[in-house]
Amino acid sequence: MTDGFMGPPWQMDWRLDALAVLEALPAHARDMVYAARAELVTVKDPYFRGVEADADLPDGMWVVPIRSSQPHGARLFFFDDGNGWLKYTFVRRSEDPQITVEQLFWQGFKQDEAPPVEE
């Protein structure tokens, strides 16, 4: 235990259904989720508040609140240019603050499938 508020790296917990989705993803999609996870657990504020909220995130990633009326509520962390997201909450406890991933979604496509070509 610490005497003050803990900072990054944050702890991350997954709901079992979100973890099952993660484990079922293809390897390249899992790598994108792990990159999003790395951004979340190492940032000073997991809610990315401020005018330039997404300035430090890699291209193709951004964070938005689910409801603007709940500034400390759940967030969506988009990755893969919006083709996937993590729905998460951040619990600010003085002891053991943590991020909880409630949902994971990825709308992917197979790399070896080419789009149909008109003749």
Side-chain angles (χ1 to χ4, degrees):
M1 293 199 200
T2 63
D3 294 331
F5 185 72
M6 296 173 60
W10 305 109
Q11 297 296 318
M12 182 176 269
D13 193 17
W14 294 73
R15 282 184 37 150
L16 291 178
D17 52 347
L19 190 58
V21 171
L22 173 65
E23 292 171 352
L25 290 175
H28 70 283
R30 266 194 315 269
D31 290 344
M32 289 185 279
V33 173
Y34 292 148
R37 179 193 179 281
E39 292 294 330
L40 278 175
V41 298
T42 59
V43 72
K44 184 177 178 181
D45 183 357
Y47 281 158
F48 299 91
R49 287 196 207 94
V51 176
E52 293 294 320
D54 303 326
D56 294 334
L57 292 176
D59 290 339
M61 292 184 181
W62 66 94
V63 176
V64 296
I66 290 180
R67 289 187 177 179
S68 62
S69 62
Q70 294 179 334
H72 297 289
R75 294 286 195 269
L76 287 177
F77 187 110
F78 290 94
F79 61 93
D80 190 20
D81 294 315
N83 290 319
W85 69 76
L86 296 170
K87 177 183 172 188
Y88 71 94
T89 56
F90 179 60
V91 180
R92 292 182 179 275
R93 297 183 289 235
S94 60
E95 295 178 16
D96 193 32
Q98 76 176 28
I99 297 167
T100 302
V101 177
E102 298 174 355
Q103 182 182 30
L104 170 63
F105 175 83
W106 182 67
Q107 176 65 49
F109 61 91
K110 294 181 181 178
Q111 297 287 341
D112 56 349
E113 289 182 5
V117 178
E118 292 184 29
E119 293 182 23

